Amino acid sequence: SELLRVVSGEVFDIRGLSEGDKILLPPSALQTLMSLVPSSQMPKPMLFSLQVAGSNDPPRHAGVLEFSAPEGSVVVPLWIMRAMGIADADSLIVTSSTLPKGTFAKLQPLSEEFVTLADPKATLEQAISSVYTTLNKGDSIVVPVDGLDIEVFVVELQPADAVCVIDTELEVDFVRSVINEEEQLRRAAEIEEERRAMDWSMSMVEGSG
């Protein structure tokens, strides 16, 4: 467990830092872990809890992308900072953690584009585990799918309110969208029109070549 100063992930141009729930920790954090835990017993994935110093709020959880943060700092994706109500230079207690494997997630779509997904259940089950390490009940998360950013609200998780979604069969279910069906159908038609226009322009380019 270490007390580290928060740095926004927006400062770093690192692929995978703005999407998902992975943080950057300093190299010394990995050295400390390796001195305490044999490499053969090192948990995969490594999970950490984040708690605002001096706060009684429940901790939230995250995975780690790299051990390349400046010493004394933890680099946190901006959306997690907003969810926790923290800003740059705030202090976080970062603790090595474990979570149960998630088996079920009930999600509420917040994006009009959701209706355009051919198989939303299978698509999001796969996409979540490829971008996220953990899920926390009450979060609004953005899942990138085929160039679209699908935002969903985490309504319910099993077997706990915070779970690991790596190396587990996570079953996804949905509650009714907060967006009315007319808006969803209109957005679906717009996206289909954009795709047709793109296909047409590509065929014209290929034809002229």
Side-chain angles (χ1 to χ4, degrees), residues 8-138:
S8 169
E10 298 292 296
V11 176
F12 293 79
D13 184 21
I14 298 178
R15 181 176 173 81
L17 191 55
S18 59
E19 297 175 347
D21 64 338
K22 297 178 182 68
I23 59 175
L24 301 185
L25 289 171
S28 60
L30 178 59
Q31 293 166 7
T32 301
L33 278 171
M34 292 178 70
S35 69
L36 296 172
V37 183
S39 57
S40 60
Q41 297 177 25
M42 196 70 75
K44 293 180 182 177
M46 292 185 191
L47 303 179
F48 295 87
S49 68
L50 311 176
Q51 187 159 28
V52 180
S55 166
N56 292 323
D57 291 342
R60 63 173 302 120
H61 296 82
V64 61
L65 183 65
E66 296 176 0
F67 290 90
S68 59
E71 285 300 334
S73 301
V74 53
V75 180
V76 181
L78 185 58
W79 76 269
I80 293 182
M81 291 176 61
R82 288 174 174 161
M84 296 183 70
I86 57 177
D88 281 299
D90 284 352
S91 294
L92 279 186
I93 300 169
V94 182
T95 307
S96 181
S97 175
T98 58
L99 286 176
K101 299 284 189 181
T103 57
F104 175 79
K106 184 172 284 187
L107 308 174
Q108 183 177 41
L110 301 179
S111 298
E112 296 172 2
E113 289 85 356
F114 176 80
V115 75
T116 68
L117 300 180
D119 185 352
K121 190 174 185 298
T123 300
L124 284 181
E125 284 173 354
Q126 180 179 0
I128 285 172
S129 61
S130 67
V131 177
Y132 289 85
T133 314
T134 69
L135 285 182
N136 295 264
K137 180 181 176 180

Side-chain angles (χ1 to χ4, degrees), residues 123-170:
T123 300
L124 284 181
E125 284 173 354
Q126 180 179 0
I128 285 172
S129 61
S130 67
V131 177
Y132 289 85
T133 314
T134 69
L135 285 182
N136 295 264
K137 180 181 176 180
D139 274 352
S140 292
I141 62 171
V142 175
V143 186
V145 179
D146 296 335
L148 300 174
D149 286 336
I150 306 297
E151 186 177 5
V152 294
F153 179 74
V154 183
V155 177
E156 179 188 340
L157 293 169
Q158 293 179 7
D161 288 347
V163 298
C164 175
V165 294
I166 301 297
D167 296 330
T168 182
E169 292 291 326
L170 182 73

